[in-house]
Amino acid sequence: MGLVDKLTELDEYIWKQYEKVTQYCHKEYGWNKYDLASKTLAGETASLSGSSTYIFLTGIEGNDTIAITGGAVVGLVTVSNHYLKRNLIKRKEEREIKLLERTGAVNEHWFNALRPAMALGWTAIFGYFAYTFATGQYHHPESLSLSSEEYDLFSSLTLTSMFAFHIFKTSTDYFLDQIMTPPAKKKSVLKTLYEKVTGKLQVTPVLQLEPNKYHTIEDIVGDA
């Protein structure tokens, strides 16, 4: 078995783990794959916004115009990416629901070697560099008016945010590739947890037995 085959098997294995999450959330909360993809998209946006913020702060604190500009550009790209991808998810959901209602068919999922390779590659790269900056293995540029500790801190936070971004992005891709579940009433997590807790706390009614009219042996004999 070659590397491509192994990566394809890995892609299928990862897909099945996301399938378990999708089925659980559909059963418990009525969510479909697009609901889950929208939530991981929010994670993408939050993580990428964190990266742009740390890059911008590095420029401000280090008096670096390039870093300031870079942070601002990444921030704009983040906002644009969020709205574009959110609208794309919404349109795909509408099309698939219409297809499901009209023909009963669902979009097929697919497995390939590139998806896990890209996901593992990018997360490994950003995870490695985040660790190296966090442990002070790089010397900060002398042109920046930042201490080594400040530079390492901002750099590690930036790369950690990018690491989280790629995890969320991978999750979004896998959720969008899931099999569409039937429509169901959506519930919030808090409401569902509340119902479970209150359901468990309800006291089961105790069966009240009819009082026995006999109190002594004489009563029993007397009735015989």
Side-chain angles (χ1 to χ4, degrees):
M1 181 182 292
L3 179 59
V4 173
D5 294 329
K6 290 182 179 179
L7 287 172
T8 303
E9 284 191 355
L10 176 61
D11 186 52
E12 182 177 1
Y13 174 79
I14 296 173
W15 185 91
K16 288 181 178 179
Q17 306 316 304
Y18 280 94
E19 181 186 34
K20 294 177 183 178
V21 176
T22 305
Q23 292 177 349
Y24 174 81
C25 290
H26 180 260
K27 178 182 177 182
E28 293 292 326
Y29 312 118
W31 299 347
N32 60 33
K33 64 179 186 177
Y34 294 103
D35 296 314
L36 292 167
S38 296
K39 296 180 188 306
T40 51
L41 174 60
E44 288 183 44
T45 303
S47 301
L48 207 55
S49 296
S51 293
S52 66
T53 301
Y54 296 131
I55 294 171
F56 187 80
L57 289 175
T58 300
I60 292 294
E61 295 295 327
N63 195 24
D64 186 351
T65 305
I66 295 178
I68 294 173
T69 304
V73 170
V74 173
L76 292 173
V77 170
T78 300
V79 174
S80 300
N81 176 74
H82 177 79
Y83 285 105
L84 288 173
K85 203 165 182 178
R86 187 184 68 176
N87 291 334
L88 178 63
I89 290 173
K90 184 177 180 180
R91 289 197 298 270
K92 289 184 67 175
E93 181 179 14
E94 291 172 351
R95 287 197 300 267
E96 190 162 7
I97 289 176
K98 288 180 181 179
L99 177 66
L100 185 63
E101 292 175 345
R102 188 174 65 253
T103 66
V106 295
N107 293 333
E108 294 184 3
H109 57 275
W110 49 274
F111 303 121
N112 66 73
L114 183 60
R115 182 164 55 182
M118 293 292 292
L120 293 174
W122 282 113
T123 51
I125 289 171
F126 285 111
Y128 169 76
F129 282 108
Y131 170 78
T132 54
F133 276 107
T135 54
Q137 297 183 34
Y138 282 93
H139 297 291
H140 78 291
E142 295 180 357
S143 59
L144 295 179
S145 56
L146 284 171
S147 66
S148 297
E149 291 77 13
E150 291 173 325
Y151 178 74
D152 289 340
L153 175 62
F154 284 128
S155 297
S156 63
L157 289 173
T158 300
L159 291 163
T160 300
S161 297
M162 290 301 299
F163 173 83
F165 165 75
H166 279 283
I167 291 178
F168 281 117
K169 184 180 182 300
T170 299
S171 297
T172 303
D173 292 340
Y174 275 105
F175 280 133
L176 289 176
D177 194 40
Q178 292 296 312
I179 297 173
M180 187 65 174
T181 50
K185 182 179 179 181
K186 301 186 192 317
K187 296 187 292 183
S188 69
V189 175
L190 292 178
K191 182 179 179 181
T192 303
L193 291 175
Y194 173 79
E195 290 175 350
K196 287 185 176 182
V197 171
T198 54
K200 290 180 179 180
L201 292 179
Q202 289 179 356
V203 179
T204 304
V206 179
L207 180 63
Q208 297 294 329
L209 299 177
E210 182 181 356
N212 194 333
K213 65 178 181 179
Y214 301 117
H215 299 288
T216 65
I217 189 65
E218 289 79 5
D219 292 333
I220 298 175
V221 173
D223 290 342

mmCIF file of all heavy atoms in Angstrom, residues 34-61:
data_model
loop_
_atom_site.group_PDB
_atom_site.id
_atom_site.type_symbol
_atom_site.label_atom_id
_atom_site.label_comp_id
_atom_site.label_asym_id
_atom_site.label_seq_id
_atom_site.Cartn_x
_atom_site.Cartn_y
_atom_site.Cartn_z
ATOM 1 N N TYR A 34 -24.577 21.723 7.907
ATOM 2 C CA TYR A 34 -24.347 23.142 7.628
ATOM 3 C C TYR A 34 -24.357 23.981 8.907
ATOM 4 O O TYR A 34 -23.650 24.981 9.003
ATOM 5 C CB TYR A 34 -25.386 23.648 6.636
ATOM 6 C CG TYR A 34 -25.253 23.020 5.272
ATOM 7 C CD1 TYR A 34 -26.120 22.011 4.858
ATOM 8 C CD2 TYR A 34 -24.244 23.411 4.407
ATOM 9 C CE1 TYR A 34 -25.983 21.417 3.612
ATOM 10 C CE2 TYR A 34 -24.093 22.818 3.160
ATOM 11 C CZ TYR A 34 -24.970 21.817 2.770
ATOM 12 O OH TYR A 34 -24.815 21.232 1.535
ATOM 13 N N ASP A 35 -25.160 23.566 9.877
ATOM 14 C CA ASP A 35 -25.130 24.240 11.186
ATOM 15 C C ASP A 35 -23.761 24.078 11.834
ATOM 16 O O ASP A 35 -23.199 25.031 12.393
ATOM 17 C CB ASP A 35 -26.210 23.655 12.104
ATOM 18 C CG ASP A 35 -27.612 23.909 11.588
ATOM 19 O OD1 ASP A 35 -27.894 25.050 11.191
ATOM 20 O OD2 ASP A 35 -28.417 22.961 11.579
ATOM 21 N N LEU A 36 -23.219 22.864 11.761
ATOM 22 C CA LEU A 36 -21.906 22.609 12.358
ATOM 23 C C LEU A 36 -20.803 23.334 11.598
ATOM 24 O O LEU A 36 -19.872 23.880 12.209
ATOM 25 C CB LEU A 36 -21.634 21.103 12.361
ATOM 26 C CG LEU A 36 -22.536 20.298 13.305
ATOM 27 C CD1 LEU A 36 -22.420 18.811 13.013
ATOM 28 C CD2 LEU A 36 -22.173 20.570 14.752
ATOM 29 N N ALA A 37 -20.914 23.366 10.265
ATOM 30 C CA ALA A 37 -19.916 24.085 9.468
ATOM 31 C C ALA A 37 -19.943 25.580 9.774
ATOM 32 O O ALA A 37 -18.891 26.226 9.801
ATOM 33 C CB ALA A 37 -20.174 23.838 7.982
ATOM 34 N N SER A 38 -21.124 26.128 10.027
ATOM 35 C CA SER A 38 -21.232 27.546 10.370
ATOM 36 C C SER A 38 -20.553 27.842 11.702
ATOM 37 O O SER A 38 -19.935 28.898 11.882
ATOM 38 C CB SER A 38 -22.705 27.963 10.427
ATOM 39 O OG SER A 38 -23.323 27.840 9.165
ATOM 40 N N LYS A 39 -20.651 26.898 12.620
ATOM 41 C CA LYS A 39 -20.027 27.097 13.932
ATOM 42 C C LYS A 39 -18.503 27.005 13.839
ATOM 43 O O LYS A 39 -17.791 27.784 14.487
ATOM 44 C CB LYS A 39 -20.576 26.077 14.922
ATOM 45 C CG LYS A 39 -22.072 26.246 15.189
ATOM 46 C CD LYS A 39 -22.593 25.231 16.169
ATOM 47 C CE LYS A 39 -24.119 25.298 16.249
ATOM 48 N NZ LYS A 39 -24.634 26.634 16.549
ATOM 49 N N THR A 40 -18.000 26.068 13.052
ATOM 50 C CA THR A 40 -16.544 25.984 12.903
ATOM 51 C C THR A 40 -16.016 27.152 12.069
ATOM 52 O O THR A 40 -14.871 27.566 12.246
ATOM 53 C CB THR A 40 -16.132 24.651 12.267
ATOM 54 O OG1 THR A 40 -16.882 24.428 11.064
ATOM 55 C CG2 THR A 40 -16.393 23.496 13.223
ATOM 56 N N LEU A 41 -16.859 27.685 11.178
ATOM 57 C CA LEU A 41 -16.465 28.892 10.439
ATOM 58 C C LEU A 41 -16.277 30.057 11.405
ATOM 59 O O LEU A 41 -15.348 30.864 11.238
ATOM 60 C CB LEU A 41 -17.526 29.243 9.395
ATOM 61 C CG LEU A 41 -17.317 30.563 8.643
ATOM 62 C CD1 LEU A 41 -15.998 30.554 7.873
ATOM 63 C CD2 LEU A 41 -18.486 30.840 7.708
ATOM 64 N N ALA A 42 -17.128 30.142 12.414
ATOM 65 C CA ALA A 42 -16.959 31.179 13.435
ATOM 66 C C ALA A 42 -15.627 30.999 14.160
ATOM 67 O O ALA A 42 -14.948 31.978 14.500
ATOM 68 C CB ALA A 42 -18.116 31.130 14.428
ATOM 69 N N GLY A 43 -15.230 29.744 14.380
ATOM 70 C CA GLY A 43 -13.930 29.469 14.985
ATOM 71 C C GLY A 43 -12.791 29.892 14.078
ATOM 72 O O GLY A 43 -11.776 30.427 14.541
ATOM 73 N N GLU A 44 -12.944 29.654 12.770
ATOM 74 C CA GLU A 44 -11.944 30.116 11.797
ATOM 75 C C GLU A 44 -11.755 31.631 11.903
ATOM 76 O O GLU A 44 -10.623 32.134 11.974
ATOM 77 C CB GLU A 44 -12.401 29.790 10.371
ATOM 78 C CG GLU A 44 -12.351 28.343 9.968
ATOM 79 C CD GLU A 44 -12.766 28.180 8.513
ATOM 80 O OE1 GLU A 44 -12.311 28.980 7.668
ATOM 81 O OE2 GLU A 44 -13.554 27.268 8.209
ATOM 82 N N THR A 45 -12.872 32.332 11.903
ATOM 83 C CA THR A 45 -12.831 33.796 11.914
ATOM 84 C C THR A 45 -12.206 34.326 13.201
ATOM 85 O O THR A 45 -11.384 35.244 13.169
ATOM 86 C CB THR A 45 -14.253 34.361 11.755
ATOM 87 O OG1 THR A 45 -14.827 33.856 10.539
ATOM 88 C CG2 THR A 45 -14.237 35.875 11.703
ATOM 89 N N ALA A 46 -12.592 33.733 14.320
ATOM 90 C CA ALA A 46 -12.041 34.180 15.600
ATOM 91 C C ALA A 46 -10.530 33.946 15.659
ATOM 92 O O ALA A 46 -9.766 34.809 16.121
ATOM 93 C CB ALA A 46 -12.739 33.452 16.744
ATOM 94 N N SER A 47 -10.083 32.781 15.175
ATOM 95 C CA SER A 47 -8.653 32.458 15.214
ATOM 96 C C SER A 47 -7.849 33.372 14.299
ATOM 97 O O SER A 47 -6.790 33.896 14.683
ATOM 98 C CB SER A 47 -8.438 30.998 14.796
ATOM 99 O OG SER A 47 -9.134 30.133 15.645
ATOM 100 N N LEU A 48 -8.360 33.588 13.082
ATOM 101 C CA LEU A 48 -7.649 34.434 12.139
ATOM 102 C C LEU A 48 -7.657 35.892 12.593
ATOM 103 O O LEU A 48 -6.686 36.629 12.375
ATOM 104 C CB LEU A 48 -8.280 34.309 10.749
ATOM 105 C CG LEU A 48 -7.372 34.576 9.541
ATOM 106 C CD1 LEU A 48 -6.130 33.691 9.601
ATOM 107 C CD2 LEU A 48 -8.133 34.336 8.242
ATOM 108 N N SER A 49 -8.734 36.293 13.260
ATOM 109 C CA SER A 49 -8.784 37.653 13.821
ATOM 110 C C SER A 49 -7.737 37.815 14.913
ATOM 111 O O SER A 49 -7.127 38.875 15.047
ATOM 112 C CB SER A 49 -10.178 37.932 14.393
ATOM 113 O OG SER A 49 -11.156 37.913 13.384
ATOM 114 N N GLY A 50 -7.536 36.742 15.684
ATOM 115 C CA GLY A 50 -6.492 36.785 16.712
ATOM 116 C C GLY A 50 -5.123 36.957 16.097
ATOM 117 O O GLY A 50 -4.310 37.759 16.582
ATOM 118 N N SER A 51 -4.850 36.251 15.010
ATOM 119 C CA SER A 51 -3.559 36.380 14.331
ATOM 120 C C SER A 51 -3.340 37.802 13.830
ATOM 121 O O SER A 51 -2.259 38.374 14.008
ATOM 122 C CB SER A 51 -3.476 35.406 13.146
ATOM 123 O OG SER A 51 -3.455 34.079 13.591
ATOM 124 N N SER A 52 -4.368 38.368 13.188
ATOM 125 C CA SER A 52 -4.221 39.726 12.664
ATOM 126 C C SER A 52 -4.004 40.737 13.792
ATOM 127 O O SER A 52 -3.222 41.687 13.652
ATOM 128 C CB SER A 52 -5.460 40.118 11.852
ATOM 129 O OG SER A 52 -6.608 40.207 12.676
ATOM 130 N N THR A 53 -4.664 40.498 14.911
ATOM 131 C CA THR A 53 -4.508 41.408 16.058
ATOM 132 C C THR A 53 -3.090 41.348 16.613
ATOM 133 O O THR A 53 -2.478 42.386 16.897
ATOM 134 C CB THR A 53 -5.511 41.045 17.168
ATOM 135 O OG1 THR A 53 -6.842 41.148 16.647
ATOM 136 C CG2 THR A 53 -5.355 41.976 18.365
ATOM 137 N N TYR A 54 -2.541 40.147 16.763
ATOM 138 C CA TYR A 54 -1.186 40.005 17.307
ATOM 139 C C TYR A 54 -0.132 40.560 16.348
ATOM 140 O O TYR A 54 0.868 41.143 16.785
ATOM 141 C CB TYR A 54 -0.904 38.542 17.625
ATOM 142 C CG TYR A 54 -1.799 37.996 18.714
ATOM 143 C CD1 TYR A 54 -2.472 36.779 18.542
ATOM 144 C CD2 TYR A 54 -1.986 38.686 19.907
ATOM 145 C CE1 TYR A 54 -3.300 36.275 19.534
ATOM 146 C CE2 TYR A 54 -2.815 38.192 20.888
ATOM 147 C CZ TYR A 54 -3.471 36.985 20.695
ATOM 148 O OH TYR A 54 -4.298 36.496 21.680
ATOM 149 N N ILE A 55 -0.345 40.370 15.037
ATOM 150 C CA ILE A 55 0.576 40.952 14.060
ATOM 151 C C ILE A 55 0.537 42.474 14.147
ATOM 152 O O ILE A 55 1.577 43.151 14.129
ATOM 153 C CB ILE A 55 0.217 40.490 12.626
ATOM 154 C CG1 ILE A 55 0.446 38.993 12.482
ATOM 155 C CG2 ILE A 55 1.058 41.242 11.595
ATOM 156 C CD1 ILE A 55 -0.081 38.414 11.177
ATOM 157 N N PHE A 56 -0.663 43.023 14.253
ATOM 158 C CA PHE A 56 -0.835 44.473 14.348
ATOM 159 C C PHE A 56 -0.171 45.021 15.613
ATOM 160 O O PHE A 56 0.516 46.051 15.575
ATOM 161 C CB PHE A 56 -2.327 44.814 14.340
ATOM 162 C CG PHE A 56 -2.636 46.273 14.265
ATOM 163 C CD1 PHE A 56 -2.591 46.950 13.052
ATOM 164 C CD2 PHE A 56 -2.978 46.982 15.404
ATOM 165 C CE1 PHE A 56 -2.873 48.307 12.977
ATOM 166 C CE2 PHE A 56 -3.262 48.331 15.353
ATOM 167 C CZ PHE A 56 -3.214 48.999 14.127
ATOM 168 N N LEU A 57 -0.381 44.316 16.732
ATOM 169 C CA LEU A 57 0.221 44.763 17.995
ATOM 170 C C LEU A 57 1.745 44.675 17.947
ATOM 171 O O LEU A 57 2.434 45.515 18.537
ATOM 172 C CB LEU A 57 -0.317 43.920 19.152
ATOM 173 C CG LEU A 57 -1.777 44.153 19.536
ATOM 174 C CD1 LEU A 57 -2.207 43.160 20.610
ATOM 175 C CD2 LEU A 57 -1.987 45.588 20.015
ATOM 176 N N THR A 58 2.259 43.656 17.267
ATOM 177 C CA THR A 58 3.710 43.562 17.094
ATOM 178 C C THR A 58 4.241 44.777 16.363
ATOM 179 O O THR A 58 5.286 45.336 16.724
ATOM 180 C CB THR A 58 4.069 42.288 16.296
ATOM 181 O OG1 THR A 58 3.593 41.138 17.005
ATOM 182 C CG2 THR A 58 5.580 42.169 16.117
ATOM 183 N N GLY A 59 3.504 45.208 15.338
ATOM 184 C CA GLY A 59 3.913 46.406 14.599
ATOM 185 C C GLY A 59 3.825 47.665 15.425
ATOM 186 O O GLY A 59 4.717 48.520 15.361
ATOM 187 N N ILE A 60 2.761 47.770 16.214
ATOM 188 C CA ILE A 60 2.593 48.967 17.064
ATOM 189 C C ILE A 60 3.696 49.036 18.113
ATOM 190 O O ILE A 60 4.359 50.075 18.285
ATOM 191 C CB ILE A 60 1.214 48.951 17.743
ATOM 192 C CG1 ILE A 60 0.091 49.141 16.712
ATOM 193 C CG2 ILE A 60 1.130 50.034 18.817
ATOM 194 C CD1 ILE A 60 0.068 50.485 16.046
ATOM 195 N N GLU A 61 3.895 47.946 18.826
ATOM 196 C CA GLU A 61 4.884 47.925 19.899
ATOM 197 C C GLU A 61 6.309 47.992 19.354
ATOM 198 O O GLU A 61 7.197 48.560 19.992
ATOM 199 C CB GLU A 61 4.716 46.657 20.744
ATOM 200 C CG GLU A 61 3.396 46.574 21.496
ATOM 201 C CD GLU A 61 3.261 47.659 22.545
ATOM 202 O OE1 GLU A 61 4.286 48.056 23.132
ATOM 203 O OE2 GLU A 61 2.127 48.106 22.772
#
